[in-house]
Amino acid sequence: MQSQTTNLNLTSKNRLPNLKSRIWVPVLYTYDYFSKGKVSQIEFTFEICSEAPGYNNNWPSNITLEINHNPVVTFLTKGDYGGRKGSCNPDWWSDSNSQFGEFKRFTITDQGSFPDGEKVSEETIESPKMKEGYHFSFILKVDYAAG
């Protein structure tokens, strides 16, 4: 049976709330979707940056990605980027605000977790119980504890 890949794309076209608080991105999949065959991987792609007053290209933040409230990986964003116009920003978006972010690709498979193609965790598609129930949650949050 052929594996299926599901993509969730979050870009600056759909600006996310300030990362000083949790970001909840609900992703809903039905039993039917997973029961059609063995899902061996799910991939999320998004653009993300730190959050500083105005912008600050040197403002690192540790961001934790959780699935079903299960921390899967923590990664570093290096700054809250500005200084040039972002390609997806509307005309009304002020130049004094964040303009763009880092492109991230997160893949969770039956072999582990791979942010940007590098295996960093043994957490698999089975670990956070993504196939139990009729939905799962995808959460990005600032992880102050990660230092």
Side-chain angles (χ1 to χ4, degrees):
M1 186 168 287
Q2 191 164 1
S3 66
Q4 301 172 5
T5 302
T6 300
N7 293 306
L8 169 67
N9 293 303
L10 306 173
T11 69
S12 59
K13 290 179 186 175
N14 300 311
R15 286 215 170 261
L16 296 175
N18 183 320
L19 274 181
K20 291 178 182 169
S21 58
R22 286 186 156 213
I23 293 176
W24 295 80
V25 182
V27 183
L28 303 177
Y29 293 94
T30 65
Y31 277 117
D32 212 32
Y33 184 82
F34 284 110
S35 67
K36 288 181 181 177
K38 179 170 173 28
V39 177
S40 61
Q41 100 176 20
I42 295 179
E43 182 175 272
F44 302 91
T45 58
F46 51 95
E47 181 180 354
I48 191 168
C49 69
S50 302
E51 183 63 35
Y55 72 87
N56 184 334
N57 293 329
N58 186 23
W59 192 273
S61 294
N62 287 310
I63 309 295
T64 296
L65 184 151
E66 293 181 356
I67 296 177
N68 287 344
H69 306 284
N70 181 40
V72 178
V73 65
T74 297
F75 58 90
L76 178 72
T77 55
K78 296 177 184 169
D80 181 5
Y81 303 109
R84 66 173 172 83
K85 192 74 173 166
S87 62
C88 296
N89 291 346
D91 292 337
W92 55 263
W93 191 256
S94 171
D95 290 344
S96 64
N97 291 330
S98 302
Q99 296 295 317
F100 55 95
E102 300 172 24
F103 178 78
K104 295 291 183 183
R105 174 171 290 154
F106 173 74
T107 308
I108 187 166
T109 72
D110 53 4
Q111 301 296 310
S113 297
F114 302 83
D116 300 323
E118 180 182 344
K119 185 175 183 178
V120 297
S121 170
E122 296 299 322
E123 295 287 340
T124 69
I125 199 168
E126 301 290 339
S127 302
K129 301 179 180 173
M130 294 175 75
K131 297 179 184 179
E132 294 180 13
Y134 61 92
H135 71 280
F136 62 88
S137 64
F138 172 89
I139 301 165
L140 296 170
K141 68 177 190 175
V142 172
D143 192 344
Y144 297 104

